[in-house]
Amino acid sequence: MMLDEPGNWGRWGADDERGALNLLTPETVVAAAGCVREGRALSLSLPIRGATSSPAPTTVPHLRGRPLPQHFMSVDGGDYAAGARAIGAGLRMADDALVVTPHGTTTHMDALCHMWSGDRLYNGHPADRVRSYGATRCGIDKAGPVIARGVFFDVPAVRGLSHLGARDRVEPADLEACLDGTGVELRAGDVAVIRTGWPLVWREEGPDGYWAGQPGLSADAGRWLAERDVCVVASDNAAIGGLNERQLADEDLADDLHMILLWRHGIHLVEMLWLEELAEAGRIDFLFVAAPLRIEGGTASPVNPVAVL
Amino acid sequence: MMLDEPGNWGRWGADDERGALNLLTPETVVAAAGCVREGRALSLSLPIRGATSSPAPTTVPHLRGRPLPQHFMSVDGGDYAAGARAIGAGLRMADDALVVTPHGTTTHMDALCHMWSGDRLYNGHPADRVRSYGATRCGIDKAGPVIARGVFFDVPAVRGLSHLGARDRVEPADLEACLDGTGVELRAGDVAVIRTGWPLVWREEGPDGYWAGQPGLSADAGRWLAERDVCVVASDNAAIGGLNERQLADEDLADDLHMILLWRHGIHLVEMLWLEELAEAGRIDFLFVAAPLRIEGGTASPVNPVAVL
Amino acid sequence: MMLDEPGNWGRWGADDERGALNLLTPETVVAAAGCVREGRALSLSLPIRGATSSPAPTTVPHLRGRPLPQHFMSVDGGDYAAGARAIGAGLRMADDALVVTPHGTTTHMDALCHMWSGDRLYNGHPADRVRSYGATRCGIDKAGPVIARGVFFDVPAVRGLSHLGARDRVEPADLEACLDGTGVELRAGDVAVIRTGWPLVWREEGPDGYWAGQPGLSADAGRWLAERDVCVVASDNAAIGGLNERQLADEDLADDLHMILLWRHGIHLVEMLWLEELAEAGRIDFLFVAAPLRIEGGTASPVNPVAVL
Amino acid sequence: MMLDEPGNWGRWGADDERGALNLLTPETVVAAAGCVREGRALSLSLPIRGATSSPAPTTVPHLRGRPLPQHFMSVDGGDYAAGARAIGAGLRMADDALVVTPHGTTTHMDALCHMWSGDRLYNGHPADRVRSYGATRCGIDKAGPVIARGVFFDVPAVRGLSHLGARDRVEPADLEACLDGTGVELRAGDVAVIRTGWPLVWREEGPDGYWAGQPGLSADAGRWLAERDVCVVASDNAAIGGLNERQLADEDLADDLHMILLWRHGIHLVEMLWLEELAEAGRIDFLFVAAPLRIEGGTASPVNPVAVL
């Protein structure tokens, strides 16, 4: 995907801030569109449930202790029921606001400025440009939309499980097994969509079950994907890699999945997907679309990724 | 577009809450994907500029008096420069939060619960289900993603202007002129993307110029689009219809564009687009993608719509 | 306390919206000031801990599932350490924002519009004036500051406990025992400050212990206080009355503490105090000061009440 | 004022983080309480007007471009009018949230970490401890409540004006003239309350008039106050010192009022007061009470200061 020359408002990241999204070319975009065969679209996101006077926000999978979304109506139908006057000759309206902290609370795409080690972000950009008023390097506004071929890895399915266990780690052999016999090969510029099934645990066992740890990619699996030049790794767990019961990664720095994918290779990460309907659809390749909000200097954007089958 | 049967999390609106998005069928989705010929993707959104200790938020087009986006970093590179410790063996991270009120402040898609008259929303849904804790009818979570053919109406271009004037209203003849000789005809399920060029006024004349009123569709143009069964009307102005200097519509209830399109016909509206690069691209039809965040009960979602050429 | 005639900005509630705060008269205010004998001031509030990328917010007592305070710095010392330029000749600054939902999360004062039954608020004000854009009747902006004599009821102390148990209910006899032999009698216009010691459980047993229920006033104790014309009841528990393990009151409507005190008698409630230093001070009467923020139409205000000994 | 030994929750700032509030002693507190003679209490704050779907927030004085307060009801009377069910046997409730950025938008008290020059805050505390997750040095949580004698300087009154002009600067001679013949002398530990009358301009001339600049203390007047060991300087303008039409101070670093008072002398500042009723009350000395919310690491707190006459 070649992005247009930026106008004053429509500015994109320079190539050196877009990481693996540079792998998207006119050819990959056209080929991705060619994966639309059934004409069905599936949303891959969790709901954003922010009715804060109720327990609703706590009923959606999230990491323990994170601030949940808050959604407020500033005028609504109840006001008119209570006597509020219409605008002019009879117009009534509802208006609202959203407070959202994407990491760990809802489906989102990480910016390349989200994680690093030492004083340098991905590609050597200085980490001290990530300020309280936003990141002037590698923010989510630099990413641009993802219009790519999605390739689905339903790991629990090939292992014969409904979902992986908290300590399970996805290995390269699992990824290979997912494609085995499908005729689909992972290509440069693809989005690898990895199912662990972990969100099912929230429904089956509640928050404590979900917080007991999380399955995720092993370091080797991360390297396997990076070697194949995917542009995005997307999964239904919270951190691409696995988590222990303290909700931290067990790997050291060299093997940390965010370090391998995001920091070293500039591969964008989409986390906390909901992949259950996609799992039922029986499709391996499809058009994957995710367009992060252009939050200037943001470390992430909530997204509603779509699989077009 | 046939959406899958809802799971417990992946719930969609019933057909009677999705309005004109029901016009999307497997055939329209496949046809829309077929419009991808160049393999270029253009984002059609304004930036979300929320650095609240600076004048930055006020430099993006918005309606006067609306609460602007606020973007906060809760940990960032500055903290590490100031001595914050890395996580474990050396991981550093940035985290953030966004407060956003979409209407009038940024590129967004309206839910069918956003406007109505009397006690009924679109399709007779009771307006008293739109509550402080969210709309249980016709919220933006019911809409689902828009994967459709976009058809571009560059009105100032056919009038030989860089942008329309504050009192200009787009008439059916303008819309017809835009397609004249292009070989493209508006079909059921299309997204009509209407350019007025008004955001240019923000840059040229500043806020006061932008707030002096706004060009927009006439009631007749709204009816013309509704008769052609578009699923979405998208524009770079703030309210699809025009606005006067008090930032209100001049039309009465029968002719109000939100009433004609959103309320009577269930046609979703996408407002405050940035269409300047699209105008330069010289394309009439393309794949239009917009996936509203699944904000339960929301009156709108900020979106980053994408034109795939 | 006679409040001045309102100016255009400095508007107070009419007498019929201020409830028991009308019991404050010039005489009670002067007498309250006369309780300042040692010249020591104690703050009676919990900290507002809103560093949302850390576990800090979850370490302060709160009701389960409530949205915790979020505090964001929009420019800070880290930015300068990372290279941000000073303003003009060398000024540096830090700026911040707070998101707070007072009920159940921090020390706060309830407005008279916070709870009611049927269609009427306290004193017959119509409940349908409590709208999404704020309460135009009985909001916290109508209350005005509390400058009154505080009278301390250290219930666990008279029972020989460090704190009450989750199922303990404070009876009139407990309140009488607290004053017995002190020479202090409760008078009209006093603030009754009731200690249960329950916040200690947060530290001793953690959140699950704190959420197992809460001690509080019995209905009879509520009536006993109302009969004595206190203007405010303030306590270190979350709801003045006790709570069960589902964090709800067990009493029926007639005996609910909010109904007895707030709704029927217009007695303002201050909840989630921190009273441990006051308990050590050995004082029964003192000057109690709490000035709710004038949040127009608010259902509560976070407050930092002060005991001046 | 001697603050109690901190408990685990009720922690105060060490003496070296409380600046001029250390001037409050048991003697000054008792003497301040002795100023209560009439038994009247006046609130000195602007309203917090946060109904964001209306123009209401823009009708209260504020600095241009600052994010205004947002107040949201998350359940309210309209919901019940629209059919929401009562809790249990009939309890109804309203709940809400507030988003507030104190500086420049509402009545607030500055923390000692709000402004500095170079790498050091007040009293040599390192500025790199002011982080995105809050200031661990000199935050508003360290300040403690202000229980002190207020001394009123009604500068426009002594100049025979209803309010000062945008370019007027208050000089030491003005301050002396305010006390002349009153029998009141400024003492160590007093709060100097300075009226400029500038908020009246908001009502008389609207936002543009208010934003044309602001009257304020001259550097000499700042030094005059600092020499007299006041603990707090409080005023009805936005920045204690004057502002030019770009809403910045004209003084250089040596003469900047925040540098003189806050940074060099640790004198807390309370800004954006509403002093019109106090001006009518005819009192020079009174009990001044302001208790900042204990926002951990905050650069300020919204406050509702009270004058008890």
Side-chain angles (χ1 to χ4, degrees):
Chain A
M1 175 172 53
M2 281 184 3
L3 288 161
D4 265 351
E5 207 51 34
N8 283 356
W9 298 114
R11 187 188 301 280
W12 291 110
D15 283 358
D16 69 344
E17 296 183 81
R18 296 187 65 242
L21 291 183
N22 287 306
L23 294 164
L24 299 176
T25 65
E27 290 71 29
T28 67
V29 172
V30 169
C35 295
V36 178
R37 299 188 291 267
E38 300 175 58
R40 287 203 300 153
L42 294 175
S43 162
L44 307 181
S45 77
L46 296 171
I48 296 180
R49 198 167 273 173
T52 58
S53 294
S54 81
T58 63
T59 63
V60 178
H62 59 269
L63 290 181
R64 189 171 46 207
R66 294 289 296 167
L68 302 187
Q70 298 189 52
H71 175 235
F72 300 109
M73 304 287 267
S74 46
V75 60
D76 58 60
D79 297 315
Y80 297 103
R85 281 178 301 178
I87 303 167
L91 221 58
R92 293 175 172 190
M93 64 173 291
D95 186 11
D96 57 0
L98 178 69
V99 183
V100 62
T101 299
H103 301 291
T105 71
T106 194
T107 310
H108 66 279
M109 175 165 155
D110 282 356
L112 295 184
C113 68
H114 173 45
M115 280 204 178
W116 68 96
S117 189
D119 296 327
R120 297 282 159 182
L121 307 177
Y122 162 74
N123 212 11
H125 291 287
D128 62 11
R129 300 304 294 269
V130 184
R131 304 266 175 87
S132 295
Y133 34 95
T136 57
R137 291 287 184 283
C138 300
I140 195 66
D141 52 311
K142 306 296 176 61
V146 180
I147 310 290
R149 189 176 74 143
V151 174
F152 188 45
F153 297 85
D154 189 345
V155 184
V158 298
R159 289 200 190 174
L161 302 166
S162 68
H163 61 79
L164 299 183
R167 299 186 183 181
D168 286 339
R169 296 296 176 264
V170 176
E171 300 296 341
D174 292 300
L175 300 178
E176 285 168 351
C178 288
L179 297 190
D180 215 32
T182 65
V184 175
E185 287 195 7
L186 203 58
R187 293 195 299 246
D190 282 346
V191 175
V193 179
I194 320 282
R195 179 170 174 266
T196 68
W198 195 245
L200 295 176
V201 172
W202 187 276
R203 291 200 288 185
E204 291 167 6
E205 304 177 30
D208 287 336
Y210 185 85
W211 294 335
Q214 290 209 9
L217 293 185
S218 71
D220 284 343
R223 291 192 190 96
W224 188 91
L225 290 166
E227 285 164 12
R228 277 150 188 82
D229 276 340
V230 297
C231 68
V232 171
V233 175
S235 185
D236 57 355
N237 66 6
I240 305 298
L243 297 177
N244 60 28
E245 71 287 354
R246 290 176 302 129
Q247 305 195 51
L248 295 171
D250 274 329
E251 293 87 2
D252 61 20
L253 205 59
D255 281 352
D256 182 274
L257 271 294
H258 276 70
M259 293 292 100
I260 294 171
L261 296 170
L262 190 83
W263 188 51
R264 292 205 193 92
H265 290 92
I267 295 171
H268 283 77
L269 307 177
V270 178
E271 297 165 335
M272 303 187 72
L273 291 170
W274 174 254
L275 296 174
E276 299 312 305
E277 284 87 2
L278 184 59
E280 292 163 17
R283 285 283 298 270
I284 301 296
D285 64 331
F286 47 85
L287 170 62
F288 179 96
V289 178
L293 300 176
R294 299 175 61 179
I295 305 164
E296 286 195 351
T299 73
S301 171
V303 284
N304 183 355
V306 181
V308 194
L309 308 183
Chain B
M1 176 173 52
M2 280 184 6
L3 288 161
D4 264 351
E5 206 52 35
N8 283 356
W9 297 114
R11 188 188 300 279
W12 291 109
D15 283 358
D16 69 344
E17 295 184 81
R18 297 188 65 242
L21 291 183
N22 287 306
L23 293 164
L24 299 176
T25 65
E27 291 71 29
T28 68
V29 172
V30 170
C35 294
V36 177
R37 299 188 291 266
E38 299 175 57
R40 288 202 300 153
L42 294 175
S43 162
L44 307 182
S45 78
L46 296 171
I48 296 179
R49 198 166 273 174
T52 58
S53 294
S54 81
T58 63
T59 63
V60 179
H62 60 268
L63 290 182
R64 188 171 46 207
R66 293 289 297 167
L68 302 186
Q70 297 190 56
H71 175 233
F72 300 108
M73 303 288 266
S74 45
V75 59
D76 58 61
D79 298 314
Y80 297 103
R85 280 177 302 179
I87 303 167
L91 221 58
R92 293 177 171 188
M93 63 173 291
D95 185 12
D96 57 359
L98 178 69
V99 183
V100 63
T101 299
H103 302 289
T105 71
T106 193
T107 310
H108 66 280
M109 177 165 153
D110 283 355
L112 295 185
C113 70
H114 173 44
M115 280 204 178
W116 68 95
S117 189
D119 296 327
R120 297 282 159 180
L121 308 177
Y122 163 75
N123 212 11
H125 291 286
D128 61 12
R129 300 304 293 269
V130 183
R131 305 266 174 88
S132 294
Y133 34 94
T136 57
R137 291 287 183 283
C138 299
I140 195 65
D141 52 312
K142 306 297 175 60
V146 180
I147 309 290
R149 189 175 74 143
V151 175
F152 189 43
F153 297 86
D154 189 345
V155 183
V158 298
R159 289 200 191 174
L161 302 167
S162 68
H163 62 78
L164 299 183
R167 299 187 183 182
D168 286 340
R169 296 297 176 265
V170 175
E171 299 296 340
D174 293 300
L175 300 178
E176 284 168 353
C178 287
L179 298 190
D180 214 31
T182 64
V184 175
E185 286 194 8
L186 202 58
R187 293 195 301 246
D190 283 346
V191 174
V193 179
I194 319 283
R195 180 172 173 264
T196 68
W198 195 244
L200 295 175
V201 173
W202 188 276
R203 292 200 289 184
E204 290 167 7
E205 304 177 31
D208 287 336
Y210 185 83
W211 294 334
Q214 290 209 9
L217 293 185
S218 70
D220 284 343
R223 290 191 190 97
W224 187 93
L225 290 166
E227 284 164 13
R228 276 148 189 82
D229 277 340
V230 296
C231 67
V232 171
V233 175
S235 185
D236 59 354
N237 66 5
I240 306 297
L243 296 177
N244 60 28
E245 70 287 353
R246 290 177 302 130
Q247 305 195 52
L248 295 171
D250 274 329
E251 293 86 3
D252 61 19
L253 205 59
D255 281 353
D256 182 275
L257 270 294
H258 276 71
M259 293 293 99
I260 294 170
L261 295 169
L262 190 83
W263 187 51
R264 292 205 194 95
H265 290 93
I267 296 170
H268 284 78
L269 307 177
V270 179
E271 296 166 334
M272 303 187 72
L273 291 170
W274 175 255
L275 297 173
E276 299 311 305
E277 284 87 1
L278 184 60
E280 291 164 16
R283 285 284 297 272
I284 302 296
D285 64 331
F286 47 86
L287 171 62
F288 179 96
V289 177
L293 300 176
R294 298 175 61 179
I295 305 164
E296 286 195 351
T299 74
S301 171
V303 284
N304 183 353
V306 181
V308 194
L309 308 183
Chain C
M1 174 174 53
M2 279 182 9
L3 287 161
D4 265 351
E5 206 52 36
N8 283 356
W9 299 113
R11 188 188 300 279
W12 291 109
D15 284 357
D16 69 344
E17 296 184 81
R18 298 188 64 242
L21 291 183
N22 287 305
L23 294 164
L24 299 176
T25 65
E27 291 71 29
T28 67
V29 173
V30 170
C35 295
V36 177
R37 298 188 291 267
E38 298 175 58
R40 287 203 300 155
L42 294 175
S43 161
L44 307 182
S45 78
L46 296 171
I48 295 179
R49 197 167 273 175
T52 57
S53 294
S54 81
T58 62
T59 63
V60 178
H62 60 268
L63 290 182
R64 188 172 44 207
R66 294 289 295 167
L68 302 186
Q70 296 191 57
H71 175 233
F72 300 109
M73 303 289 266
S74 45
V75 60
D76 57 63
D79 297 314
Y80 297 103
R85 281 177 302 179
I87 304 168
L91 221 58
R92 294 176 171 188
M93 63 173 292
D95 185 12
D96 57 358
L98 178 68
V99 183
V100 62
T101 299
H103 301 289
T105 71
T106 193
T107 311
H108 66 279
M109 177 166 154
D110 282 355
L112 295 185
C113 69
H114 173 44
M115 280 204 178
W116 69 95
S117 189
D119 296 327
R120 297 282 159 181
L121 307 176
Y122 163 75
N123 212 11
H125 291 287
D128 61 13
R129 300 306 292 268
V130 183
R131 304 263 175 89
S132 294
Y133 33 95
T136 56
R137 291 289 183 281
C138 299
I140 195 65
D141 53 311
K142 306 296 176 60
V146 180
I147 310 290
R149 189 175 75 144
V151 174
F152 188 45
F153 297 86
D154 189 344
V155 183
V158 298
R159 289 200 189 175
L161 302 166
S162 68
H163 61 78
L164 300 184
R167 299 187 182 182
D168 286 340
R169 296 297 176 264
V170 175
E171 299 296 340
D174 292 299
L175 300 178
E176 284 169 350
C178 288
L179 299 190
D180 214 32
T182 65
V184 175
E185 286 194 6
L186 203 58
R187 293 195 300 245
D190 282 346
V191 175
V193 180
I194 320 281
R195 181 172 172 264
T196 68
W198 195 244
L200 295 176
V201 171
W202 187 276
R203 292 200 289 185
E204 292 167 6
E205 304 177 30
D208 287 336
Y210 185 84
W211 293 335
Q214 290 210 8
L217 293 186
S218 70
D220 284 344
R223 290 192 190 97
W224 187 91
L225 290 166
E227 284 164 11
R228 277 149 189 81
D229 277 339
V230 296
C231 67
V232 171
V233 175
S235 185
D236 58 354
N237 66 6
I240 305 298
L243 296 178
N244 60 29
E245 71 286 355
R246 291 176 300 130
Q247 305 196 51
L248 294 172
D250 275 328
E251 293 87 2
D252 62 18
L253 204 60
D255 281 353
D256 182 274
L257 272 293
H258 276 71
M259 292 293 100
I260 294 171
L261 295 170
L262 191 84
W263 188 52
R264 291 203 195 94
H265 290 92
I267 295 171
H268 283 78
L269 307 178
V270 179
E271 296 165 335
M272 303 188 74
L273 291 170
W274 174 255
L275 297 173
E276 299 312 304
E277 284 87 1
L278 184 60
E280 292 164 16
R283 285 282 298 270
I284 303 296
D285 63 331
F286 48 85
L287 170 62
F288 179 96
V289 178
L293 300 176
R294 298 175 61 178
I295 305 163
E296 286 196 350
T299 73
S301 171
V303 285
N304 183 353
V306 182
V308 194
L309 310 182
Chain D
M1 174 173 53
M2 280 183 4
L3 288 161
D4 265 350
E5 208 51 36
N8 283 356
W9 298 113
R11 187 188 300 279
W12 290 109
D15 283 357
D16 69 343
E17 295 183 83
R18 297 188 63 241
L21 291 183
N22 287 305
L23 294 163
L24 300 176
T25 65
E27 291 72 30
T28 67
V29 173
V30 170
C35 294
V36 178
R37 298 188 292 268
E38 298 174 58
R40 287 203 300 153
L42 294 175
S43 160
L44 307 182
S45 79
L46 296 171
I48 295 179
R49 198 167 272 175
T52 58
S53 294
S54 80
T58 63
T59 62
V60 178
H62 60 269
L63 290 182
R64 189 171 45 208
R66 294 288 296 167
L68 302 187
Q70 297 191 55
H71 175 235
F72 300 109
M73 303 289 266
S74 45
V75 60
D76 58 61
D79 297 315
Y80 296 103
R85 280 178 302 178
I87 304 167
L91 221 58
R92 293 175 172 191
M93 63 173 292
D95 185 11
D96 57 359
L98 178 69
V99 183
V100 62
T101 300
H103 300 290
T105 71
T106 193
T107 310
H108 66 279
M109 177 164 154
D110 282 356
L112 295 184
C113 68
H114 173 45
M115 281 203 176
W116 68 96
S117 189
D119 296 327
R120 297 282 160 182
L121 307 177
Y122 162 75
N123 211 11
H125 291 287
D128 61 12
R129 299 305 293 268
V130 183
R131 304 264 175 88
S132 294
Y133 34 94
T136 58
R137 291 288 185 281
C138 300
I140 195 65
D141 52 311
K142 307 296 176 62
V146 180
I147 310 289
R149 189 176 75 145
V151 174
F152 188 45
F153 296 86
D154 190 345
V155 183
V158 298
R159 289 199 189 176
L161 302 166
S162 68
H163 62 78
L164 300 183
R167 299 186 183 183
D168 286 340
R169 296 297 176 263
V170 176
E171 299 296 340
D174 292 300
L175 300 177
E176 286 168 349
C178 288
L179 298 190
D180 214 32
T182 65
V184 174
E185 285 194 6
L186 203 57
R187 293 194 301 244
D190 283 346
V191 174
V193 179
I194 319 283
R195 179 171 174 265
T196 68
W198 194 245
L200 295 175
V201 172
W202 188 276
R203 292 201 287 184
E204 291 167 7
E205 303 177 31
D208 287 336
Y210 185 85
W211 294 335
Q214 290 209 7
L217 293 185
S218 71
D220 284 343
R223 291 190 190 97
W224 188 92
L225 289 166
E227 285 164 12
R228 276 148 189 82
D229 278 340
V230 296
C231 67
V232 171
V233 176
S235 185
D236 57 355
N237 65 6
I240 305 298
L243 296 176
N244 61 28
E245 70 287 355
R246 291 177 300 130
Q247 305 196 53
L248 295 171
D250 274 329
E251 293 86 2
D252 62 19
L253 205 60
D255 281 353
D256 181 275
L257 272 292
H258 275 72
M259 293 292 99
I260 295 171
L261 295 170
L262 190 84
W263 188 51
R264 293 203 194 94
H265 290 92
I267 295 171
H268 283 78
L269 307 178
V270 179
E271 296 165 336
M272 303 188 71
L273 292 169
W274 175 254
L275 296 173
E276 298 313 303
E277 285 87 2
L278 184 60
E280 291 164 17
R283 285 282 298 271
I284 302 298
D285 64 330
F286 46 85
L287 171 62
F288 179 96
V289 178
L293 301 176
R294 299 175 62 177
I295 304 164
E296 286 195 351
T299 74
S301 171
V303 284
N304 184 354
V306 182
V308 194
L309 309 183

